[in-house]
Each structure stands twice: as structure tokens, then as C-alpha cells.
Amino acid sequence: CQCACKLQYGRIRGVLLLWTPLDACAALVYPILESCAARATWGQQAPMCDSTAPPRRRNSMDDGAPRRRSSINSMDDGAARPAKRPRRGSMEQPTKLRVGFVCGKEDGDLVAAPGLPEQYHCAPEPPAQPKKGAPPECHSDLALWWWIKTRYPETIECDLLRGPDDVTAARLERNDVNLLLGWDAVSAHLEEHDGTGRFAAGHGDAKAAILRDPACRVFPPGELQDLGNAKGAYVAAIRAAGLPTAPTAVYECEGGDAEAGAAFAADAASARGWKKFVAKPSPSSWSRGVDAFQTKAVASRPARLEAYFQETAFNPPGAAKQILVQRHLAGLANLPETRCFLIEGEFQYAVANSTHRRGAKFELTSCPESSSSRDLPAKYWRPHAALAKRVVEEVLPPLKTFAGAPMPGPGYAWPVRVDVGAHAAGDLDGGCADDAPASRKRERAYFVNEIELVPTLYLDEKFGHEQDYLARYARSLVKTAFEACGRTAPAPDGAPDDENSLKADNS
């Protein structure tokens, strides 16, 4: 009887608050209910409580303000706690996911970002000029941040971090997840060794340690970062998977010197019968420090090779962690190198360092000028895309949530770029069997040259992409961010062009 009386009191009181036409009855009914509730507690012991404690806060229907939910970062094990499902009929909303966007690209790959605040605008590189009346442009990493910020205002709190200054452990730990989009450990390493003296010794290693620290909740996680940042590591992983790659020997620079490095390179090339070889440092980007040498020449006159090691790896110390010594493959000098882009493990588009005109032989260029979306013939991207997909499926490590569970998928939970070249099969590691017929060894084979995890996306309008790949990347990153935290990704909160973007995304 006591319980029923209390329950009925609560029900009627809630109804009166929600249905204002009954407010006139409140003055009559409330005293009766208060009296009933008082009788229901007769003879019961008073609850143990702090008499100085503040009164219990009324719910959102009492004061018109929704209650603030506790942070999902409160779990002791550091894993994100999925937001509780609101009670049926409740106005309470799931907690916003706080997502950090680590940006810092300076690659000239500009995309339109309507409504972008002026301080983020980027002008095209001369001699190009901004188009009159066109929306503002920015680098693709900033465009992804802005796209998500303007389409998920009710479900995502976007934190823009500009490397290197904003990338601190304290700042990263404030977020539920931090996405590496345009600045990473390789960026920090190159900053330290750019010759300007802006950064102290150890800057690169310190930032790399922060980015791979589980407490900083960075995605992709440390294991994948380590693989992508060290060229020697992913070449070894490609070879272990049985996929074709350039024949490679790796010199570890720690504890070495220029003379020892030069001797290692010359001996490796001579022992393998390479007439010519290429040396390249790691970490690096944009072909920094890449040089070619004649094996016979450096065996008798090593001074040039020693100077290369001194300048590239040891001036200052730690300028390179590895020097890759690779067989010179004429295919890279005679055929386009194709960069293949995959989202959730599926091929999306490719660009190549070549130009193509109907009825004329292609011309090689220093940077990508053609794309599968516009003018790159299928023979220069279809076989490359097939090999790139195998790299994602067979070489890259499986990804896990911050709680240690497998990412739900489907597909790989981080966008990847795989650079693929073509050369005679007999000159490649894994290109063909050692006892293959001579005709097979002369056949063109495709090999993995690079794996990039924070790449230039090549979304510039000159590539003629009809599909809205910026939206495709953004939706995939939102999905990854939520799933890494053990939550289900929401649909966009709404924007005028969402419907059109979705149609293009599914075309």
C-alpha cells in the first residue's frame, strides 16, 4: 500500500508538470498526494544522509535544462565507455565524442571548404590564382576537420591540433580519440633535422613516443605507425607476405658511421650482382635524400658514397634511422609509378606521375598529373590496385579498439595509400621463382614501392574526381573514431549538401 501510494504520487506529479492544462488542478491534487506520501513513511526509519548535502537536482523536465552526462573517459582501464542508451521517452542525449584532428599538411593539395574561417584559408601556389567567387580552399587534412565539424555538431566535439605545438600528451589525453591526418612522427623527425635549428635534439623521438602512447588514444595505433614510418620495416613485411618488392638491404644507422655505412652499401650491391643501386633514408618523404650509385664505381672510389652517408644519416647525428640500399629498377624511370588509395580496404582511385594524350606516348612527370578518375589508362592502375588491396589484406596488422577488441569492420579501419611500380619480374624479390623460364623473368610484374598512412590525398580538382572523396574519407574516419571507442557511428546531424554527397559517395 505504501509503495503504491508513492508510485501513484510520482506518476501524477510528472503528468501535471508535462501537461500544462492540468496546472489548474495542481493546487487541489498536490496537497492530497503530499499527505498520502507522508502517511506512507510513518513508522519507517529515516534514511542515513548528510544533512548539509545540497538538495537533489531536479530532472530536465523540472528546470528546462538537460543534465550533463559524465565523461566517457572515466573508465579506469583507459578504454572508452560506450554511451548509455537514453531511457525510452527521455530527452537525455548520448555524450558527444571528443575527437582530435592532428593536422599540419603543407603539400599544396588544396580542396574547397565552404564557410571555412578566414584564418585557415590557403592560397594556391603561384602562378595559380584563386578563382573569383569560388569557396575558400585549404589543405585536405583541415578540410576533413571542417567537413566533420559542420556536419556532426550534436554528436562530435572537434578539437583541431596543429602539429607540432598542439601535439602534447596533455592535449591528446583530453580527447576520446585523436586522428593522424596531416602531421605525424615522420613530420616531427623532419622538423628536427631541417637545418634551421628550430627544434632541440630529440624532438622527433619525443613526439613519436607521445603519438604511440596508448594513454594518448591516437589512431592509427602505435603498431601501425611503426610499420608505416620505417621503410625497412614494411619492406620486410611485404617480403614476408610473399608479395613482390624491390630487392633491399637495410643499414641501421644507430651506432654506425659514414664509412661503415658506405662499405655496407657497396658490399650489399656487389654481393647481389646489382650494377646500379639506390640509397634512400628512413624516415623521409617527398624523395628527400634519394640518390643513385654505380656499384663498380663506389667499390674503387667510395668517397662519394661516404659523403652521402655522412650528409644524409650523420649530419647531424640521427638525421636518418635507416638507409635503404635497393636495386635500381629501370621500370620506375620508364613507367609511371601509381599511387593507389584505399578506404576501408577497398580501392577508390589512383594517381600517377605521368600525362596521357590520345594517340601519343605518355610522358613521365616529377609529381602526379593523371588519375583513374580522368585520363589514366586502366592498364596503369587496375593491376596496381589489385596488388595494393593485397597489401592491406596480407601485410598490415589487424586493428583493435582502445579496449583491445577487434575493430568491427567491415574493411580496414584506416585509409591507406600504396605506391606500386612495374618492372621485369626476374629483378624483383617475389616477382617470380628463381628457376622460372627466362621469358617469365622478362615479363612485366608489379611491385610495392611505398606504404603511406598519412599521405597526400591528391583531391585537387585537376584530377577530375567526379565522386566526393572528401566526404568518403570523412564518413570513414567518423566510423573509425566511434568504433575505436566502442561506439556506433551516427549519421550526420544534417547539412544542405549531405544528400547529394551521399549519392555521389555511393555512385
Side-chain angles (χ1 to χ4, degrees):
C1 180
Q2 293 174 1
C3 293
C5 185
K6 288 182 178 179
L7 180 61
Q8 190 65 15
Y9 165 68
R11 285 177 176 170
I12 296 179
R13 186 172 186 271
V15 169
L16 292 176
L17 283 171
L18 285 172
W19 199 354
T20 54
L22 293 180
D23 285 348
C25 303
L28 175 64
V29 176
Y30 277 170
I32 299 174
L33 294 176
E34 296 285 358
S35 175
C36 292
R39 291 191 185 97
T41 59
W42 287 349
Q44 295 183 12
Q45 184 178 356
M48 300 287 292
C49 64
D50 181 3
S51 60
T52 63
R56 182 179 178 183
R57 180 176 175 178
R58 296 176 296 172
N59 63 29
S60 59
M61 294 181 181
D62 293 331
D63 58 12
R67 284 181 290 180
R68 185 177 183 85
R69 298 197 52 141
S70 60
S71 170
I72 64 172
N73 283 329
S74 60
M75 295 183 68
D76 294 336
D77 61 0
R81 187 187 304 276
K84 294 181 180 179
R85 185 183 300 275
R87 293 188 304 273
R88 190 180 187 91
S90 171
M91 296 176 64
E92 190 175 19
Q93 298 297 319
T95 309
K96 280 187 179 182
L97 193 73
R98 186 173 172 86
V99 180
F101 297 81
V102 183
C103 299
K105 283 190 180 298
E106 296 179 352
D107 52 18
D109 185 36
L110 303 183
V111 296
L116 183 73
E118 188 174 358
Q119 66 263 35
Y120 303 119
H121 294 188
C122 291
E125 296 180 359
Q129 296 292 326
K131 294 182 179 179
K132 187 175 182 179
E137 292 185 322
C138 64
H139 288 100
S140 57
D141 55 347
L142 275 174
L144 287 167
W145 159 75
W146 183 246
W147 197 99
I148 294 171
K149 179 179 176 65
T150 55
R151 287 162 176 78
Y152 294 85
E154 302 301 324
T155 49
I156 299 178
E157 185 175 348
C158 296
D159 181 23
L160 176 62
L161 297 92
R162 309 291 291 272
D165 294 341
D166 293 342
V167 182
T168 64
R171 180 74 174 272
L172 295 172
E173 289 173 8
R174 287 169 46 191
N175 297 326
D176 300 312
V177 58
N178 298 281
L179 305 176
L180 289 183
L181 299 184
W183 188 94
D184 62 357
V186 174
S187 308
H189 178 87
L190 296 178
E191 288 169 349
E192 179 183 343
H193 300 286
D194 65 0
T196 65
R198 295 179 300 157
F199 301 96
H203 167 77
D205 288 342
K207 293 298 186 182
I210 290 173
L211 292 176
R212 69 183 322 281
D213 183 354
C216 292
R217 306 173 71 80
V218 172
F219 215 92
E223 181 183 8
L224 184 54
Q225 291 181 50
D226 291 345
L227 181 67
N229 294 343
K231 297 180 187 295
Y234 65 66
V235 167
I238 293 166
R239 185 186 298 124
L243 300 182
T245 188
T248 305
V250 179
Y251 179 72
E252 299 292 344
C253 299
E254 186 175 3
D257 56 39
E259 186 176 348
F264 172 89
D267 292 346
S270 179
R272 292 164 172 79
W274 303 343
K275 293 182 179 180
K276 190 175 182 180
F277 66 91
V278 173
K280 58 177 69 171
S282 176
S284 186
S285 64
W286 294 99
S287 300
R288 288 184 179 95
V290 177
D291 207 345
F293 301 88
Q294 298 287 341
T295 304
K296 190 174 181 179
V298 298
S300 58
R301 298 183 300 278
R304 177 171 170 257
L305 185 57
E306 290 175 358
Y308 168 84
F309 270 82
Q310 180 63 38
E311 179 67 24
T312 306
F314 301 104
N315 186 24
K321 297 182 182 299
Q322 301 173 324
I323 296 291
L324 274 65
V325 182
Q326 296 183 316
R327 179 173 187 165
H328 181 270
L329 300 176
L332 289 176
N334 300 323
L335 293 167
E337 181 187 32
T338 302
R339 296 156 171 81
C340 302
F341 294 82
L342 299 96
I343 301 177
E344 297 177 19
E346 297 298 330
F347 174 77
Q348 303 295 316
Y349 61 95
V351 298
N353 59 320
S354 56
T355 58
H356 300 263
R357 293 176 297 174
R358 187 181 299 276
K361 188 179 186 305
F362 66 82
E363 295 181 5
L364 294 182
T365 56
S366 59
C367 59
E369 297 290 346
S370 57
S371 74
S372 58
S373 300
R374 188 189 63 190
D375 56 349
L376 184 63
K379 65 180 179 180
Y380 295 120
W381 65 264
R382 284 194 186 279
H384 307 68
L387 177 57
K389 183 173 174 61
R390 291 189 63 188
V391 169
V392 174
E393 295 173 346
E394 302 175 31
V395 176
L396 301 187
L399 297 178
K400 297 180 179 180
T401 69
F402 294 130
M407 291 289 282
Y412 203 69
W414 189 255
V416 178
R417 191 186 98 193
V418 181
D419 298 353
V420 178
H423 190 74
D427 293 340
L428 302 173
D429 280 350
C432 64
D434 292 338
D435 58 355
S439 59
R440 171 69 185 100
K441 292 184 177 182
R442 289 193 297 269
E443 288 180 5
R444 181 183 299 178
Y446 301 93
F447 68 96
V448 182
N449 194 40
E450 304 271 357
I451 298 176
E452 298 281 354
L453 303 177
V454 187
T456 297
L457 299 180
Y458 296 105
L459 297 179
D460 189 282
E461 65 178 2
K462 74 177 182 180
F463 293 107
H465 300 310
E466 294 183 1
Q467 186 170 338
D468 187 353
Y469 286 117
L470 187 75
R472 180 73 178 91
Y473 278 113
R475 291 191 181 94
S476 178
L477 290 169
V478 168
K479 180 175 181 290
T480 291
F482 274 82
E483 291 180 349
C485 298
R487 295 173 59 174
T488 300
D493 299 325
D497 60 342
D498 276 342
E499 184 177 351
N500 294 332
S501 295
L502 186 59
K503 289 179 180 177
D505 193 25
N506 293 328
S507 62

